[in-house]
PDB file of all heavy atoms in Angstrom:
ATOM      1  N   LEU A   1    -158.294 -45.505 -28.541  1.00 94.00           N
ATOM      2  CA  LEU A   1    -157.156 -45.276 -27.525  1.00 94.00           C
ATOM      3  C   LEU A   1    -155.888 -44.867 -28.400  1.00 94.00           C
ATOM      4  O   LEU A   1    -155.025 -44.060 -27.975  1.00 94.00           O
ATOM      5  CB  LEU A   1    -156.927 -46.507 -26.675  1.00 94.00           C
ATOM      6  CG  LEU A   1    -157.954 -46.687 -25.603  1.00 94.00           C
ATOM      7  CD1 LEU A   1    -157.717 -47.973 -24.894  1.00 94.00           C
ATOM      8  CD2 LEU A   1    -157.948 -45.550 -24.588  1.00 94.00           C
ATOM      9  N   SER A   2    -155.688 -45.549 -29.509  1.00 93.00           N
ATOM     10  CA  SER A   2    -154.571 -45.250 -30.355  1.00 93.00           C
ATOM     11  C   SER A   2    -154.598 -43.804 -30.862  1.00 93.00           C
ATOM     12  O   SER A   2    -153.568 -43.178 -31.059  1.00 93.00           O
ATOM     13  CB  SER A   2    -154.458 -46.194 -31.539  1.00 93.00           C
ATOM     14  OG  SER A   2    -154.258 -47.477 -31.052  1.00 93.00           O
ATOM     15  N   CYS A   3    -155.763 -43.342 -31.143  1.00 93.00           N
ATOM     16  CA  CYS A   3    -156.025 -41.907 -31.633  1.00 93.00           C
ATOM     17  C   CYS A   3    -155.666 -40.922 -30.540  1.00 93.00           C
ATOM     18  O   CYS A   3    -155.286 -39.790 -30.909  1.00 93.00           O
ATOM     19  CB  CYS A   3    -157.392 -41.775 -32.210  1.00 93.00           C
ATOM     20  SG  CYS A   3    -157.695 -42.556 -33.655  1.00 93.00           S
ATOM     21  N   MET A   4    -155.752 -41.316 -29.360  1.00 92.00           N
ATOM     22  CA  MET A   4    -155.489 -40.394 -28.287  1.00 92.00           C
ATOM     23  C   MET A   4    -154.034 -40.052 -28.160  1.00 92.00           C
ATOM     24  O   MET A   4    -153.590 -39.096 -27.435  1.00 92.00           O
ATOM     25  CB  MET A   4    -156.022 -40.938 -26.856  1.00 92.00           C
ATOM     26  CG  MET A   4    -157.464 -41.000 -26.776  1.00 92.00           C
ATOM     27  SD  MET A   4    -158.010 -41.854 -25.347  1.00 92.00           S
ATOM     28  CE  MET A   4    -157.518 -40.592 -24.076  1.00 92.00           C
ATOM     29  N   GLY A   5    -153.151 -40.797 -28.878  1.00 89.00           N
ATOM     30  CA  GLY A   5    -151.718 -40.624 -28.782  1.00 89.00           C
ATOM     31  C   GLY A   5    -151.280 -39.414 -29.675  1.00 89.00           C
ATOM     32  O   GLY A   5    -150.092 -38.976 -29.573  1.00 89.00           O
ATOM     33  N   SER A   6    -152.198 -38.771 -30.367  1.00 88.00           N
ATOM     34  CA  SER A   6    -151.738 -37.608 -31.198  1.00 88.00           C
ATOM     35  C   SER A   6    -152.616 -36.452 -30.877  1.00 88.00           C
ATOM     36  O   SER A   6    -153.784 -36.517 -30.655  1.00 88.00           O
ATOM     37  CB  SER A   6    -151.996 -37.998 -32.644  1.00 88.00           C
ATOM     38  OG  SER A   6    -151.725 -36.855 -33.472  1.00 88.00           O
ATOM     39  N   SER A   7    -151.973 -35.217 -30.814  1.00 88.00           N
ATOM     40  CA  SER A   7    -152.711 -34.047 -30.578  1.00 88.00           C
ATOM     41  C   SER A   7    -153.434 -33.454 -31.771  1.00 88.00           C
ATOM     42  O   SER A   7    -154.252 -32.623 -31.732  1.00 88.00           O
ATOM     43  CB  SER A   7    -151.782 -32.951 -30.039  1.00 88.00           C
ATOM     44  OG  SER A   7    -150.748 -32.645 -30.993  1.00 88.00           O
ATOM     45  N   GLU A   8    -153.093 -34.126 -32.933  1.00 90.00           N
ATOM     46  CA  GLU A   8    -153.751 -33.667 -34.243  1.00 90.00           C
ATOM     47  C   GLU A   8    -155.026 -34.467 -34.531  1.00 90.00           C
ATOM     48  O   GLU A   8    -155.590 -34.315 -35.579  1.00 90.00           O
ATOM     49  CB  GLU A   8    -152.683 -33.862 -35.341  1.00 90.00           C
ATOM     50  CG  GLU A   8    -151.525 -32.932 -35.106  1.00 90.00           C
ATOM     51  CD  GLU A   8    -150.488 -33.247 -36.240  1.00 90.00           C
ATOM     52  OE1 GLU A   8    -150.746 -33.904 -37.146  1.00 90.00           O
ATOM     53  OE2 GLU A   8    -149.378 -32.597 -36.060  1.00 90.00           O
ATOM     54  N   THR A   9    -155.489 -35.296 -33.652  1.00 88.00           N
ATOM     55  CA  THR A   9    -156.586 -36.114 -33.852  1.00 88.00           C
ATOM     56  C   THR A   9    -157.909 -35.312 -34.076  1.00 88.00           C
ATOM     57  O   THR A   9    -158.218 -34.421 -33.330  1.00 88.00           O
ATOM     58  CB  THR A   9    -156.856 -37.112 -32.721  1.00 88.00           C
ATOM     59  OG1 THR A   9    -155.656 -37.935 -32.597  1.00 88.00           O
ATOM     60  CG2 THR A   9    -158.024 -37.990 -33.012  1.00 88.00           C
ATOM     61  N   ARG A  10    -158.634 -35.606 -35.132  1.00 92.00           N
ATOM     62  CA  ARG A  10    -159.955 -35.043 -35.379  1.00 92.00           C
ATOM     63  C   ARG A  10    -160.892 -36.069 -34.873  1.00 92.00           C
ATOM     64  O   ARG A  10    -161.046 -37.172 -35.511  1.00 92.00           O
ATOM     65  CB  ARG A  10    -160.120 -34.628 -36.755  1.00 92.00           C
ATOM     66  CG  ARG A  10    -159.243 -33.502 -37.244  1.00 92.00           C
ATOM     67  CD  ARG A  10    -159.619 -33.123 -38.617  1.00 92.00           C
ATOM     68  NE  ARG A  10    -158.754 -32.110 -39.120  1.00 92.00           N
ATOM     69  CZ  ARG A  10    -158.022 -32.080 -40.146  1.00 92.00           C
ATOM     70  NH1 ARG A  10    -158.038 -33.183 -40.970  1.00 92.00           N
ATOM     71  NH2 ARG A  10    -157.240 -31.055 -40.420  1.00 92.00           N
ATOM     72  N   TRP A  11    -161.631 -35.788 -33.793  1.00 92.00           N
ATOM     73  CA  TRP A  11    -162.408 -36.844 -33.219  1.00 92.00           C
ATOM     74  C   TRP A  11    -163.639 -37.357 -33.950  1.00 92.00           C
ATOM     75  O   TRP A  11    -163.994 -38.470 -34.030  1.00 92.00           O
ATOM     76  CB  TRP A  11    -162.891 -36.492 -31.785  1.00 92.00           C
ATOM     77  CG  TRP A  11    -161.666 -36.535 -30.895  1.00 92.00           C
ATOM     78  CD1 TRP A  11    -160.972 -35.491 -30.460  1.00 92.00           C
ATOM     79  CD2 TRP A  11    -161.072 -37.776 -30.403  1.00 92.00           C
ATOM     80  NE1 TRP A  11    -160.005 -35.958 -29.712  1.00 92.00           N
ATOM     81  CE2 TRP A  11    -159.964 -37.314 -29.661  1.00 92.00           C
ATOM     82  CE3 TRP A  11    -161.310 -39.111 -30.621  1.00 92.00           C
ATOM     83  CZ2 TRP A  11    -159.147 -38.238 -29.116  1.00 92.00           C
ATOM     84  CZ3 TRP A  11    -160.426 -39.991 -30.003  1.00 92.00           C
ATOM     85  CH2 TRP A  11    -159.351 -39.564 -29.250  1.00 92.00           C
ATOM     86  N   ARG A  12    -164.191 -36.466 -34.807  1.00 94.00           N
ATOM     87  CA  ARG A  12    -165.352 -36.920 -35.740  1.00 94.00           C
ATOM     88  C   ARG A  12    -164.818 -37.901 -36.715  1.00 94.00           C
ATOM     89  O   ARG A  12    -165.485 -38.930 -36.927  1.00 94.00           O
ATOM     90  CB  ARG A  12    -165.931 -35.759 -36.374  1.00 94.00           C
ATOM     91  CG  ARG A  12    -167.108 -36.087 -37.243  1.00 94.00           C
ATOM     92  CD  ARG A  12    -167.784 -34.852 -37.806  1.00 94.00           C
ATOM     93  NE  ARG A  12    -168.302 -34.103 -36.789  1.00 94.00           N
ATOM     94  CZ  ARG A  12    -168.743 -32.769 -36.864  1.00 94.00           C
ATOM     95  NH1 ARG A  12    -168.615 -32.281 -37.991  1.00 94.00           N
ATOM     96  NH2 ARG A  12    -169.255 -32.168 -35.874  1.00 94.00           N
ATOM     97  N   GLU A  13    -163.702 -37.651 -37.277  1.00 94.00           N
ATOM     98  CA  GLU A  13    -163.151 -38.492 -38.224  1.00 94.00           C
ATOM     99  C   GLU A  13    -162.590 -39.879 -37.621  1.00 94.00           C
ATOM    100  O   GLU A  13    -162.744 -40.887 -38.134  1.00 94.00           O
ATOM    101  CB  GLU A  13    -161.887 -37.869 -38.964  1.00 94.00           C
ATOM    102  CG  GLU A  13    -162.340 -36.739 -39.845  1.00 94.00           C
ATOM    103  CD  GLU A  13    -161.075 -35.991 -40.451  1.00 94.00           C
ATOM    104  OE1 GLU A  13    -159.950 -36.414 -40.142  1.00 94.00           O
ATOM    105  OE2 GLU A  13    -161.374 -34.980 -41.129  1.00 94.00           O
ATOM    106  N   ALA A  14    -162.085 -39.686 -36.313  1.00 94.00           N
ATOM    107  CA  ALA A  14    -161.582 -40.891 -35.623  1.00 94.00           C
ATOM    108  C   ALA A  14    -162.727 -41.888 -35.340  1.00 94.00           C
ATOM    109  O   ALA A  14    -162.598 -43.069 -35.390  1.00 94.00           O
ATOM    110  CB  ALA A  14    -160.904 -40.509 -34.400  1.00 94.00           C
ATOM    111  N   VAL A  15    -163.889 -41.321 -34.931  1.00 95.00           N
ATOM    112  CA  VAL A  15    -165.118 -42.115 -34.599  1.00 95.00           C
ATOM    113  C   VAL A  15    -165.553 -42.855 -35.824  1.00 95.00           C
ATOM    114  O   VAL A  15    -165.824 -44.088 -35.825  1.00 95.00           O
ATOM    115  CB  VAL A  15    -166.194 -41.297 -33.977  1.00 95.00           C
ATOM    116  CG1 VAL A  15    -167.445 -42.057 -33.955  1.00 95.00           C
ATOM    117  CG2 VAL A  15    -165.760 -40.800 -32.601  1.00 95.00           C
ATOM    118  N   ILE A  16    -165.676 -42.195 -37.002  1.00 96.00           N
ATOM    119  CA  ILE A  16    -166.139 -42.815 -38.200  1.00 96.00           C
ATOM    120  C   ILE A  16    -165.105 -43.841 -38.709  1.00 96.00           C
ATOM    121  O   ILE A  16    -165.444 -44.951 -39.072  1.00 96.00           O
ATOM    122  CB  ILE A  16    -166.380 -41.742 -39.288  1.00 96.00           C
ATOM    123  CG1 ILE A  16    -167.568 -40.888 -38.842  1.00 96.00           C
ATOM    124  CG2 ILE A  16    -166.685 -42.382 -40.677  1.00 96.00           C
ATOM    125  CD1 ILE A  16    -167.800 -39.639 -39.702  1.00 96.00           C
ATOM    126  N   ALA A  17    -163.861 -43.471 -38.684  1.00 95.00           N
ATOM    127  CA  ALA A  17    -162.804 -44.450 -39.103  1.00 95.00           C
ATOM    128  C   ALA A  17    -162.647 -45.655 -38.159  1.00 95.00           C
ATOM    129  O   ALA A  17    -162.446 -46.743 -38.631  1.00 95.00           O
ATOM    130  CB  ALA A  17    -161.438 -43.731 -39.207  1.00 95.00           C
ATOM    131  N   GLY A  18    -162.944 -45.425 -36.865  1.00 95.00           N
ATOM    132  CA  GLY A  18    -162.984 -46.549 -36.005  1.00 95.00           C
ATOM    133  C   GLY A  18    -164.043 -47.549 -36.317  1.00 95.00           C
ATOM    134  O   GLY A  18    -163.884 -48.750 -36.167  1.00 95.00           O
ATOM    135  N   LEU A  19    -165.193 -47.015 -36.649  1.00 96.00           N
ATOM    136  CA  LEU A  19    -166.265 -47.951 -37.014  1.00 96.00           C
ATOM    137  C   LEU A  19    -166.020 -48.712 -38.297  1.00 96.00           C
ATOM    138  O   LEU A  19    -166.251 -49.884 -38.298  1.00 96.00           O
ATOM    139  CB  LEU A  19    -167.580 -47.052 -37.198  1.00 96.00           C
ATOM    140  CG  LEU A  19    -168.224 -46.478 -35.959  1.00 96.00           C
ATOM    141  CD1 LEU A  19    -169.304 -45.544 -36.364  1.00 96.00           C
ATOM    142  CD2 LEU A  19    -168.666 -47.547 -35.059  1.00 96.00           C
ATOM    143  N   VAL A  20    -165.334 -48.085 -39.242  1.00 97.00           N
ATOM    144  CA  VAL A  20    -165.007 -48.740 -40.480  1.00 97.00           C
ATOM    145  C   VAL A  20    -163.969 -49.791 -40.219  1.00 97.00           C
ATOM    146  O   VAL A  20    -164.020 -50.934 -40.699  1.00 97.00           O
ATOM    147  CB  VAL A  20    -164.510 -47.705 -41.516  1.00 97.00           C
ATOM    148  CG1 VAL A  20    -163.966 -48.443 -42.788  1.00 97.00           C
ATOM    149  CG2 VAL A  20    -165.731 -46.798 -41.949  1.00 97.00           C
ATOM    150  N   VAL A  21    -162.999 -49.473 -39.423  1.00 95.00           N
ATOM    151  CA  VAL A  21    -161.888 -50.395 -39.080  1.00 95.00           C
ATOM    152  C   VAL A  21    -162.356 -51.578 -38.327  1.00 95.00           C
ATOM    153  O   VAL A  21    -161.996 -52.766 -38.653  1.00 95.00           O
ATOM    154  CB  VAL A  21    -160.675 -49.703 -38.435  1.00 95.00           C
ATOM    155  CG1 VAL A  21    -159.683 -50.654 -37.792  1.00 95.00           C
ATOM    156  CG2 VAL A  21    -159.944 -48.700 -39.301  1.00 95.00           C
ATOM    157  N   SER A  22    -163.257 -51.350 -37.393  1.00 95.00           N
ATOM    158  CA  SER A  22    -163.827 -52.450 -36.553  1.00 95.00           C
ATOM    159  C   SER A  22    -164.702 -53.316 -37.462  1.00 95.00           C
ATOM    160  O   SER A  22    -164.614 -54.558 -37.310  1.00 95.00           O
ATOM    161  CB  SER A  22    -164.653 -51.899 -35.464  1.00 95.00           C
ATOM    162  OG  SER A  22    -163.851 -51.106 -34.557  1.00 95.00           O
ATOM    163  N   LEU A  23    -165.367 -52.805 -38.363  1.00 96.00           N
ATOM    164  CA  LEU A  23    -166.234 -53.680 -39.218  1.00 96.00           C
ATOM    165  C   LEU A  23    -165.310 -54.473 -40.098  1.00 96.00           C
ATOM    166  O   LEU A  23    -165.565 -55.610 -40.428  1.00 96.00           O
ATOM    167  CB  LEU A  23    -167.193 -52.738 -40.120  1.00 96.00           C
ATOM    168  CG  LEU A  23    -168.065 -53.529 -41.070  1.00 96.00           C
ATOM    169  CD1 LEU A  23    -168.893 -54.440 -40.378  1.00 96.00           C
ATOM    170  CD2 LEU A  23    -168.759 -52.473 -41.982  1.00 96.00           C
ATOM    171  N   PHE A  24    -164.282 -53.842 -40.664  1.00 96.00           N
ATOM    172  CA  PHE A  24    -163.266 -54.561 -41.432  1.00 96.00           C
ATOM    173  C   PHE A  24    -162.612 -55.733 -40.699  1.00 96.00           C
ATOM    174  O   PHE A  24    -162.419 -56.797 -41.175  1.00 96.00           O
ATOM    175  CB  PHE A  24    -162.173 -53.536 -41.917  1.00 96.00           C
ATOM    176  CG  PHE A  24    -161.191 -54.159 -42.964  1.00 96.00           C
ATOM    177  CD1 PHE A  24    -161.613 -54.436 -44.205  1.00 96.00           C
ATOM    178  CD2 PHE A  24    -159.938 -54.402 -42.548  1.00 96.00           C
ATOM    179  CE1 PHE A  24    -160.659 -55.060 -45.132  1.00 96.00           C
ATOM    180  CE2 PHE A  24    -159.016 -54.952 -43.425  1.00 96.00           C
ATOM    181  CZ  PHE A  24    -159.461 -55.169 -44.719  1.00 96.00           C
ATOM    182  N   CYS A  25    -162.297 -55.450 -39.344  1.00 94.00           N
ATOM    183  CA  CYS A  25    -161.719 -56.553 -38.587  1.00 94.00           C
ATOM    184  C   CYS A  25    -162.673 -57.706 -38.419  1.00 94.00           C
ATOM    185  O   CYS A  25    -162.342 -58.897 -38.471  1.00 94.00           O
ATOM    186  CB  CYS A  25    -161.346 -55.984 -37.215  1.00 94.00           C
ATOM    187  SG  CYS A  25    -159.950 -54.967 -37.121  1.00 94.00           S
ATOM    188  N   VAL A  26    -163.980 -57.408 -38.164  1.00 94.00           N
ATOM    189  CA  VAL A  26    -164.925 -58.498 -38.076  1.00 94.00           C
ATOM    190  C   VAL A  26    -165.060 -59.221 -39.326  1.00 94.00           C
ATOM    191  O   VAL A  26    -165.084 -60.492 -39.396  1.00 94.00           O
ATOM    192  CB  VAL A  26    -166.341 -57.869 -37.709  1.00 94.00           C
ATOM    193  CG1 VAL A  26    -167.427 -58.859 -37.843  1.00 94.00           C
ATOM    194  CG2 VAL A  26    -166.262 -57.349 -36.234  1.00 94.00           C
ATOM    195  N   LEU A  27    -165.082 -58.612 -40.475  1.00 95.00           N
ATOM    196  CA  LEU A  27    -165.244 -59.211 -41.824  1.00 95.00           C
ATOM    197  C   LEU A  27    -164.016 -60.102 -42.121  1.00 95.00           C
ATOM    198  O   LEU A  27    -164.215 -61.236 -42.488  1.00 95.00           O
ATOM    199  CB  LEU A  27    -165.473 -58.225 -42.898  1.00 95.00           C
ATOM    200  CG  LEU A  27    -166.824 -57.460 -42.920  1.00 95.00           C
ATOM    201  CD1 LEU A  27    -166.753 -56.397 -43.970  1.00 95.00           C
ATOM    202  CD2 LEU A  27    -167.965 -58.377 -43.051  1.00 95.00           C
ATOM    203  N   ILE A  28    -162.877 -59.593 -41.802  1.00 95.00           N
ATOM    204  CA  ILE A  28    -161.658 -60.350 -42.150  1.00 95.00           C
ATOM    205  C   ILE A  28    -161.470 -61.433 -41.196  1.00 95.00           C
ATOM    206  O   ILE A  28    -161.279 -62.690 -41.604  1.00 95.00           O
ATOM    207  CB  ILE A  28    -160.373 -59.396 -42.106  1.00 95.00           C
ATOM    208  CG1 ILE A  28    -160.473 -58.437 -43.281  1.00 95.00           C
ATOM    209  CG2 ILE A  28    -159.093 -60.182 -42.241  1.00 95.00           C
ATOM    210  CD1 ILE A  28    -160.398 -58.969 -44.634  1.00 95.00           C
ATOM    211  N   PHE A  29    -161.407 -61.233 -39.925  1.00 93.00           N
ATOM    212  CA  PHE A  29    -160.970 -62.269 -38.951  1.00 93.00           C
ATOM    213  C   PHE A  29    -162.057 -63.289 -38.665  1.00 93.00           C
ATOM    214  O   PHE A  29    -161.796 -64.435 -38.528  1.00 93.00           O
ATOM    215  CB  PHE A  29    -160.555 -61.640 -37.634  1.00 93.00           C
ATOM    216  CG  PHE A  29    -159.210 -60.857 -37.780  1.00 93.00           C
ATOM    217  CD1 PHE A  29    -159.199 -59.458 -37.575  1.00 93.00           C
ATOM    218  CD2 PHE A  29    -158.105 -61.515 -38.110  1.00 93.00           C
ATOM    219  CE1 PHE A  29    -158.032 -58.748 -37.766  1.00 93.00           C
ATOM    220  CE2 PHE A  29    -156.877 -60.839 -38.285  1.00 93.00           C
ATOM    221  CZ  PHE A  29    -156.889 -59.468 -38.079  1.00 93.00           C
ATOM    222  N   SER A  30    -163.360 -62.857 -38.601  1.00 90.00           N
ATOM    223  CA  SER A  30    -164.388 -63.812 -38.317  1.00 90.00           C
ATOM    224  C   SER A  30    -164.962 -64.503 -39.458  1.00 90.00           C
ATOM    225  O   SER A  30    -165.161 -65.727 -39.520  1.00 90.00           O
ATOM    226  CB  SER A  30    -165.508 -63.106 -37.601  1.00 90.00           C
ATOM    227  OG  SER A  30    -165.062 -62.692 -36.339  1.00 90.00           O
ATOM    228  N   TYR A  31    -165.233 -63.798 -40.498  1.00 91.00           N
ATOM    229  CA  TYR A  31    -165.897 -64.314 -41.701  1.00 91.00           C
ATOM    230  C   TYR A  31    -164.940 -64.930 -42.735  1.00 91.00           C
ATOM    231  O   TYR A  31    -164.988 -66.007 -43.183  1.00 91.00           O
ATOM    232  CB  TYR A  31    -166.865 -63.398 -42.356  1.00 91.00           C
ATOM    233  CG  TYR A  31    -167.960 -63.048 -41.414  1.00 91.00           C
ATOM    234  CD1 TYR A  31    -168.093 -61.746 -40.831  1.00 91.00           C
ATOM    235  CD2 TYR A  31    -169.010 -63.926 -41.057  1.00 91.00           C
ATOM    236  CE1 TYR A  31    -169.166 -61.498 -39.959  1.00 91.00           C
ATOM    237  CE2 TYR A  31    -169.970 -63.729 -40.279  1.00 91.00           C
ATOM    238  CZ  TYR A  31    -170.081 -62.442 -39.637  1.00 91.00           C
ATOM    239  OH  TYR A  31    -171.123 -62.179 -38.831  1.00 91.00           O
ATOM    240  N   ALA A  32    -163.867 -64.107 -43.140  1.00 93.00           N
ATOM    241  CA  ALA A  32    -162.959 -64.573 -44.163  1.00 93.00           C
ATOM    242  C   ALA A  32    -161.992 -65.661 -43.635  1.00 93.00           C
ATOM    243  O   ALA A  32    -161.825 -66.648 -44.347  1.00 93.00           O
ATOM    244  CB  ALA A  32    -162.157 -63.378 -44.765  1.00 93.00           C
ATOM    245  N   LEU A  33    -161.407 -65.400 -42.417  1.00 94.00           N
ATOM    246  CA  LEU A  33    -160.512 -66.412 -41.933  1.00 94.00           C
ATOM    247  C   LEU A  33    -161.189 -67.478 -41.027  1.00 94.00           C
ATOM    248  O   LEU A  33    -160.611 -68.456 -40.748  1.00 94.00           O
ATOM    249  CB  LEU A  33    -159.385 -65.679 -41.111  1.00 94.00           C
ATOM    250  CG  LEU A  33    -158.507 -64.805 -41.964  1.00 94.00           C
ATOM    251  CD1 LEU A  33    -157.594 -64.033 -41.048  1.00 94.00           C
ATOM    252  CD2 LEU A  33    -157.754 -65.544 -42.968  1.00 94.00           C
ATOM    253  N   GLY A  34    -162.401 -67.187 -40.586  1.00 90.00           N
ATOM    254  CA  GLY A  34    -163.072 -68.096 -39.728  1.00 90.00           C
ATOM    255  C   GLY A  34    -162.575 -68.381 -38.270  1.00 90.00           C
ATOM    256  O   GLY A  34    -162.753 -69.339 -37.777  1.00 90.00           O
ATOM    257  N   LEU A  35    -161.900 -67.331 -37.814  1.00 90.00           N
ATOM    258  CA  LEU A  35    -161.375 -67.409 -36.433  1.00 90.00           C
ATOM    259  C   LEU A  35    -162.457 -67.299 -35.401  1.00 90.00           C
ATOM    260  O   LEU A  35    -163.457 -66.513 -35.596  1.00 90.00           O
ATOM    261  CB  LEU A  35    -160.289 -66.307 -36.170  1.00 90.00           C
ATOM    262  CG  LEU A  35    -159.095 -66.401 -37.122  1.00 90.00           C
ATOM    263  CD1 LEU A  35    -158.234 -65.220 -36.857  1.00 90.00           C
ATOM    264  CD2 LEU A  35    -158.384 -67.716 -36.907  1.00 90.00           C
ATOM    265  N   PRO A  36    -162.479 -68.142 -34.371  1.00 90.00           N
ATOM    266  CA  PRO A  36    -163.626 -68.093 -33.372  1.00 90.00           C
ATOM    267  C   PRO A  36    -163.512 -67.035 -32.335  1.00 90.00           C
ATOM    268  O   PRO A  36    -163.481 -67.326 -31.141  1.00 90.00           O
ATOM    269  CB  PRO A  36    -163.372 -69.545 -32.744  1.00 90.00           C
ATOM    270  CG  PRO A  36    -161.858 -69.665 -32.777  1.00 90.00           C
ATOM    271  CD  PRO A  36    -161.428 -69.095 -34.038  1.00 90.00           C
ATOM    272  N   PHE A  37    -163.613 -65.821 -32.737  1.00 87.00           N
ATOM    273  CA  PHE A  37    -163.669 -64.610 -31.902  1.00 87.00           C
ATOM    274  C   PHE A  37    -165.125 -64.347 -31.533  1.00 87.00           C
ATOM    275  O   PHE A  37    -165.963 -64.372 -32.472  1.00 87.00           O
ATOM    276  CB  PHE A  37    -162.999 -63.418 -32.403  1.00 87.00           C
ATOM    277  CG  PHE A  37    -161.553 -63.435 -32.630  1.00 87.00           C
ATOM    278  CD1 PHE A  37    -160.919 -63.090 -33.805  1.00 87.00           C
ATOM    279  CD2 PHE A  37    -160.649 -63.768 -31.512  1.00 87.00           C
ATOM    280  CE1 PHE A  37    -159.591 -63.212 -33.971  1.00 87.00           C
ATOM    281  CE2 PHE A  37    -159.406 -63.752 -31.609  1.00 87.00           C
ATOM    282  CZ  PHE A  37    -158.758 -63.518 -32.871  1.00 87.00           C
ATOM    283  N   PRO A  38    -165.398 -63.995 -30.285  1.00 89.00           N
ATOM    284  CA  PRO A  38    -166.760 -63.461 -30.021  1.00 89.00           C
ATOM    285  C   PRO A  38    -166.918 -62.143 -30.642  1.00 89.00           C
ATOM    286  O   PRO A  38    -166.008 -61.323 -30.693  1.00 89.00           O
ATOM    287  CB  PRO A  38    -166.838 -63.374 -28.468  1.00 89.00           C
ATOM    288  CG  PRO A  38    -165.359 -63.283 -28.090  1.00 89.00           C
ATOM    289  CD  PRO A  38    -164.582 -64.066 -29.096  1.00 89.00           C
TER     290      PRO A  38
END
């Protein structure tokens, strides 16, 4: 949704970067910090 804010978005790159960022969020917030997010 954040990527939709720019007309210069390349969707193939956004999909791949979104997967990487989401995985990073899971690793940092759930495993490294131990926060109880589903």
Side-chain angles (χ1 to χ4, degrees):
L1 286 175
S2 298
C3 288
M4 291 175 69
S6 173
S7 61
E8 299 176 5
T9 300
R10 294 185 179 125
W11 286 104
R12 183 176 295 164
E13 293 174 2
V15 168
I16 294 169
L19 291 172
V20 172
V21 168
S22 297
L23 179 63
F24 186 71
C25 286
V26 168
L27 291 175
I28 293 297
F29 292 115
S30 292
Y31 294 111
L33 296 176
L35 298 175
F37 290 128

